[in-house]
Amino acid sequence: MSRVSEQRFGEWIAIRTHENGHVAELVLDRPKAMNAVSTEMGRGVMEATAALAADRDVRAVVLTSSHERAFCVGADLKERNSFTDADLHRQRPFARACYTGVLELPMPVIAAVHGFALGGGFELALSCDLIVADRTAVVGLPEVSVGVIPGGGGTQLLPRRVGSARAAELIFSARRVQAEEAHALGLVDQLVPEGQDRTEALALAGRIAAHSPVGLRAAKRALRLGHGLDLRAGLEVEDAAWRTVAFSGDRAEGVAAFNEKRRPDWPGE
């Protein structure tokens, strides 16, 4: 069994490394507030994702929660209730950096969701490439019910998952969606038994991390940059990503390992 190490970023965010450092677990660890995203917690996510983005050993990330009944309930409305307009304006860059930090991680990222993933909590999950949810999961973007809009990427990420009309219905109604329906609608990608979201997400991350880190990052870049482009432009994005891997050490090692019938030892370059 591989050793697990932990690094803290502020009081409420941790990175735990697994699989010889190739899988990192980004842990939301503010259980007393059901992981409500305060200014300080958002700053922790921002700092942790910056560290992950710079770590060339990490090949896959799993976003998890330490709370038994919630992934993340969204913005800390108790903190927001005390804000002046100036306070809210000053907080906005940190809030944006929290969500874009997850969204812009260069390696595959999987959200492990159980319990409530609402508002900004669901936006954190949407910022990941894949969402594994257990049967207790309840997801939704209820921001219009408190006089705001999804401001952590929800208005842009949700329609990319489920289409514009479905996203409009979910955002305008502010309704909460139970796990079974969420899976049927494509709001989550994999539905697992209760209590198994973290285990299954880490297992998936381990399978992903067995592959070329250069290939994984290039494939993610092509998927993200090509989305929404016309086919011709998308194929140019793909070709540019292919060129970054075609002459890499990982490509040479992968071909050699295949022909020698052994597991590749990826140089990561």
Side-chain angles (χ1 to χ4, degrees), residues 55-177:
D55 190 336
R56 300 298 298 184
D57 287 333
V58 175
R59 301 176 186 175
V61 174
V62 180
L63 180 60
T64 68
S65 162
S66 66
H67 196 284
E68 293 182 355
R69 295 186 295 107
F71 175 73
C72 174
V73 295
D76 186 341
L77 297 184
K78 290 183 178 179
E79 179 188 62
R80 293 277 181 92
N81 192 47
S82 68
F83 277 6
T84 64
D85 287 351
D87 292 332
L88 188 60
H89 183 76
R90 281 191 295 269
Q91 189 210 36
R92 180 59 177 166
F94 293 105
R96 287 198 68 184
C98 168
Y99 298 102
T100 57
V102 176
L103 183 65
E104 294 177 358
L105 282 169
M107 68 288 288
V109 185
I110 305 164
V113 174
H114 59 265
F116 297 112
L118 301 172
F122 189 38
E123 288 175 304
L124 284 172
L126 290 171
S127 297
C128 300
D129 300 292
L130 297 166
I131 302 174
V132 175
D134 82 357
R135 294 184 180 277
T136 69
V138 180
V139 304
L141 296 175
E143 284 88 344
V144 297
S145 69
V146 293
V148 290
I149 69 165
T155 65
Q156 305 306 304
L157 295 171
L158 188 58
R160 284 167 167 77
R161 270 190 164 266
V162 299
S164 58
R166 179 67 69 190
E169 183 268 319
L170 292 166
I171 291 170
F172 296 162
S173 69
R175 71 184 179 93
R176 300 180 178 191
V177 183

